[in-house]
């Protein structure tokens, strides 16, 4: 069952913040976040495994609320290089550990 | 830094022809995957492969598709008789352990079926 991402698109100016959400109707074991630029492969950002876990990578961080079956990706002080489509991939608890991807959130950062 | 590689980067074929897409996963990884992405759409799972056999496959992965690991390094996806709707970007990915380790994607092969 594919996760639901929101919003579908975000338009920002450099330096602004954004939050992208990913939710599932099934119990989750992990959530992956990827960024994909047009015509390129998805690039792994981070994986979150435990309920309530939060991870960060420079100005990009994410949280995973296992009980709510939700994850959020936080982009702080966005840069032009953050533009792209962000996908979450979810692995089901007790499942086959194969990420199922959402439809993606398009992020456009303007100067 | 180790990476997944794929060849060719772009393949153009006529409907009904067979194509083989090639991937070299990261050398110490044990789990291999094929995904496809139709232009403008989400990444869709096709098949996973572990210990020289298919461990999981999606509804998309019908009898027209097959995968093989012919030697210790290559991982191939064969489409026996291509259809127009097979036109997509095909990504190979590999992973050391499912469930906890990151999954690395290759650069993709753009397949165009005419």
């Amino acid at each position: 069952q594919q996760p639901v991402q929101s919003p579908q698109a975000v338009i920002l100016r450099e330096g602004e913040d954004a939050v992208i959400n990913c939710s599932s109707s099934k119990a989750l074991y992990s959530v992956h976040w990827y960024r994909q630029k047009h015509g390129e492969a998805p690039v792994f950002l981070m994986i979150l495994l435990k309920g309530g876990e939060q991870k960060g990578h420079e100005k990009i961080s994410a949280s995973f609320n296992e009980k709510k079956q939700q994850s959020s990706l936080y982009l702080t002080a966005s840069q032009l290089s953050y533009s792209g489509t962000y996908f979450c991939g979810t692995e089901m608890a007790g499942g086959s550990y194969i990420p199922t991807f959402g439809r993606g959130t398009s992020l456009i950062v303007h100067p | 830094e180790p990476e997944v590689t794929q060849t060719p980067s772009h393949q153009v074929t006529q409907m009904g022809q067979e194509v083989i897409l090639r991937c070299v996963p990261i050398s110490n990884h044990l789990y291999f995957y094929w995904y496809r992405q139709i232009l403008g759409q989400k990444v869709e799972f096709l098949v996973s492969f572990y210990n020289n056999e298919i461990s999981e496959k999606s509804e998309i992965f019908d009898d027209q598709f097959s995968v093989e690991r012919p030697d210790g390094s290559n991982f191939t996806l064969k489409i026996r008789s291509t259809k127009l709707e097979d036109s997509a970007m095909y990504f190979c990915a590999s992973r050391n352990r499912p469930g906890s380790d990151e999954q690395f994607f290759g650069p993709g092969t753009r397949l165009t079926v005419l």
Side-chain angles (χ1 to χ4, degrees):
Chain A
Q1 182 122 20
Q2 76 176 49
V4 176
Q5 285 187 237
S6 63
Q8 286 187 326
V10 182
I11 300 174
L12 299 172
R13 293 210 174 273
E14 249 184 314
E16 292 181 338
D17 302 339
V19 180
I20 299 171
N21 300 302
C22 174
S23 63
S24 172
S25 59
K26 303 277 188 183
L28 298 177
Y29 178 81
S30 71
V31 180
H32 302 223
W33 284 100
Y34 293 84
R35 176 172 58 214
Q36 185 179 32
K37 295 194 182 268
H38 182 69
E40 300 180 9
V43 173
F44 174 82
L45 294 175
M46 63 190 81
I47 181 172
L48 300 106
L49 296 175
K50 298 177 183 177
E53 184 180 45
Q54 189 147 356
K55 277 194 175 180
H57 176 69
E58 295 182 347
K59 293 178 181 176
I60 300 176
S61 63
S63 63
F64 175 27
N65 188 321
E66 188 181 352
K67 288 181 182 176
K68 291 187 177 180
Q69 295 151 199
Q70 291 175 349
S71 177
S72 295
L73 185 71
Y74 306 95
L75 299 110
T76 308
S78 57
Q79 305 167 13
L80 295 176
S81 60
Y82 286 4
S83 292
T85 300
Y86 289 78
F87 292 96
C88 67
T90 53
E91 291 175 297
M92 302 301 164
S96 54
Y97 302 115
I98 295 170
T100 302
F101 292 92
R103 294 194 174 273
T105 295
S106 175
L107 180 78
I108 300 170
V109 181
H110 288 297
Chain B
E1 188 174 321
E3 58 182 14
V4 178
T5 60
Q6 289 185 244
T7 55
S9 56
H10 191 187
Q11 174 95 44
V12 180
T13 189
Q14 295 290 326
M15 193 168 59
Q17 295 294 306
E18 175 183 286
V19 294
I20 297 176
L21 310 183
R22 291 181 169 80
C23 167
V24 179
I26 294 173
S27 62
N28 65 337
H29 284 184
L30 302 175
Y31 297 83
F32 315 120
Y33 308 84
W34 282 102
Y35 292 86
R36 78 170 186 194
Q37 186 177 33
I38 295 170
L39 186 64
Q41 299 187 23
K42 68 183 178 75
V43 175
E44 299 176 291
F45 167 73
L46 292 178
V47 65
S48 62
F49 194 85
Y50 168 71
N51 202 25
N52 282 321
E53 60 182 27
I54 291 173
S55 50
E56 192 100 12
K57 59 183 180 179
S58 72
E59 292 176 353
I60 303 168
F61 193 88
D62 61 21
D63 293 343
Q64 293 298 313
F65 292 89
S66 62
V67 289
E68 202 176 36
R69 189 157 160 83
D71 53 44
S73 59
N74 289 287
F75 179 48
T76 62
L77 174 70
K78 183 192 291 187
I79 308 175
R80 288 192 185 82
S81 178
T82 49
K83 304 170 194 158
L84 295 176
E85 54 264 37
D86 292 329
S87 294
M89 197 77 164
Y90 287 81
F91 293 107
C92 172
S94 72
R95 198 174 190 185
N96 194 21
R97 285 182 305 165
S100 60
D101 285 2
E102 56 264 39
Q103 188 175 48
F104 291 96
F105 281 80
T109 293
R110 179 168 297 286
L111 177 66
T112 302
V113 182
L114 302 175

